[in-house]
Amino acid sequence: MANIETTTAEAEETKVAPRKLGDTWDGWSGQVEENNGDLETTPWVFLGFTSCTLVLLNVGAWLVYFLVQPRLMELPEWLMRTIVMGSGGVLCAIDLMFALVGLTVLTGKNFVPFFKGRHIALSNIIPWTVKVSSLFGISKDRMANSILQVGNRLTAVNQAQIERDELLILLPRCLDKETRDQIKAVTAKYDIDFHICAGGQMARQLLAEKAPKGVIAVACERDLMAGVQDVKAAVPVIAIANKRPEGPCRNTNINMVEMENAIRMYLGKELIKQVETELIKG
């Protein structure tokens, strides 16, 4: 009879399920991310690079106008004025919108009521901002974190108070035991349920079934950005990015003050104060 005994180490190894990555992490090299997976980033990173992108856009637009001006002069005067004023008006509107977004983030006051029912992650300027920031070594995930930070602030200033049964909390399976226990304690404190989702399809089903008036979603930046873009701001979302000291999809954790403040915001309660990190960590 063959010897079927194994060492303790071998036995323990057989109990560990292989890591199953989400679709957004296909191709992950296995290396731990920058700053040990803590990509918390100030919203000013996104707003700062968006400002640079807008400057380039404005300069480029006026350069194009300068080059095509002789051709425009050949058009009827009313048509030429319409094209010039229309293009300039669009640029001014975009500049003003992001100036008001920055003012809202700076003061915490609502200068962007037009963002109710919208999310900053749906902005068409984001791909250009990501390209500009990559030239300075800012990763897509870190930029996504900054975008979500801005989105959370815009959601908060536009969000009316809701009842506890109108709030949906979505969690990933990869949270470590300590974090899960902490979330259980916090949600029990406010008598709110939470749901652990195996993937985006389950999250969409819960959204359809529960029809919440507010959502708190925990995931990595990639899944959060995909989720926000998927629901297209049909429901207000506070996105909390997890921290990944062991890499994606295993033993992740979150800032529990951020979680409790998200709950308190939706319920119309005063927020817990905490020291905010205003610089990129690492």
Side-chain angles (χ1 to χ4, degrees):
M1 179 181 245
N3 187 350
I4 60 173
E5 293 183 358
T6 59
T7 66
T8 302
E10 291 171 337
E12 288 296 325
E13 185 177 354
T14 61
K15 296 178 183 178
V16 178
R19 180 179 303 203
K20 183 178 180 181
L21 300 178
D23 293 340
T24 54
W25 288 98
D26 287 345
W28 177 55
S29 64
Q31 296 180 341
V32 176
E33 299 168 86
E34 56 182 313
N35 200 35
N36 291 320
D38 183 356
L39 302 188
E40 183 177 353
T41 307
T42 169
W44 295 108
V45 170
F46 168 62
L47 293 176
F49 280 107
T50 296
S51 298
C52 294
T53 304
L54 288 174
V55 169
L56 294 174
L57 179 62
N58 280 268
V59 170
W62 287 111
L63 179 60
V64 169
Y65 169 73
F66 176 77
L67 294 175
V68 302
Q69 186 179 18
R71 294 293 184 184
L72 289 175
M73 297 298 292
E74 297 176 1
L75 299 174
E77 184 176 354
W78 67 270
L79 181 57
M80 181 194 71
R81 288 182 179 276
T82 300
I83 293 173
V84 173
M85 294 180 67
S87 302
V90 170
L91 284 174
C92 288
I94 295 173
D95 294 342
L96 178 60
M97 180 185 73
F98 277 97
L100 293 176
V101 168
L103 194 58
T104 298
V105 172
L106 178 64
T107 65
K109 297 180 180 180
N110 190 5
F111 292 95
V112 288
F114 51 84
F115 259 99
K116 188 172 185 178
R118 300 175 60 193
H119 197 285
I120 196 74
L122 301 174
S123 174
N124 291 330
I125 203 171
I126 284 179
W128 299 101
T129 299
V130 170
K131 289 180 181 180
V132 171
S133 64
S134 67
L135 299 176
F136 295 84
I138 304 296
S139 67
K140 289 184 179 180
D141 288 330
R142 193 176 282 285
M143 179 56 68
N145 189 292
S146 185
I147 293 169
L148 294 169
Q149 295 280 356
V150 174
N152 288 349
R153 284 160 171 77
L154 301 188
T155 296
V157 297
N158 279 295
Q159 179 61 40
Q161 179 179 339
I162 63 176
E163 300 298 325
R164 60 176 182 78
D165 58 351
E166 296 174 325
L167 176 59
L168 178 63
I169 300 178
L170 303 175
L171 305 177
R173 295 178 298 176
C174 61
L175 293 172
D176 61 30
K177 184 179 184 304
E178 181 181 358
T179 302
R180 290 197 303 270
D181 290 343
Q182 290 174 337
I183 292 175
K184 287 179 182 178
V186 168
T187 52
K189 176 180 175 181
Y190 297 97
D191 193 20
I192 297 173
D193 295 328
F194 64 85
H195 300 267
I196 297 178
C197 298
Q201 182 61 35
M202 182 179 293
R204 286 189 288 271
Q205 290 175 352
L206 284 168
L207 284 169
E209 293 172 6
K210 303 292 184 181
K213 292 185 179 179
V215 173
I216 299 173
V218 176
C220 62
E221 289 85 359
R222 301 181 187 191
D223 284 343
L224 289 172
M225 287 290 287
V228 167
Q229 292 167 349
D230 187 34
V231 301
K232 299 187 183 300
V235 59
V237 177
I238 294 294
I240 301 177
N242 58 20
K243 306 178 193 304
R244 302 174 290 277
E246 298 180 28
C249 308
R250 175 185 290 173
N251 290 332
T252 63
N253 62 82
I254 62 171
N255 181 332
M256 287 306 303
V257 175
E258 189 176 0
M259 167 62 78
E260 185 163 2
N261 272 342
I263 295 173
R264 294 177 70 88
M265 183 277 295
Y266 277 119
L267 300 183
K269 299 180 181 293
E270 185 178 355
L271 302 186
I272 301 170
K273 294 182 179 180
Q274 66 174 338
V275 178
E276 292 188 345
T277 303
E278 292 299 335
L279 296 174
I280 297 179
K281 294 183 180 179

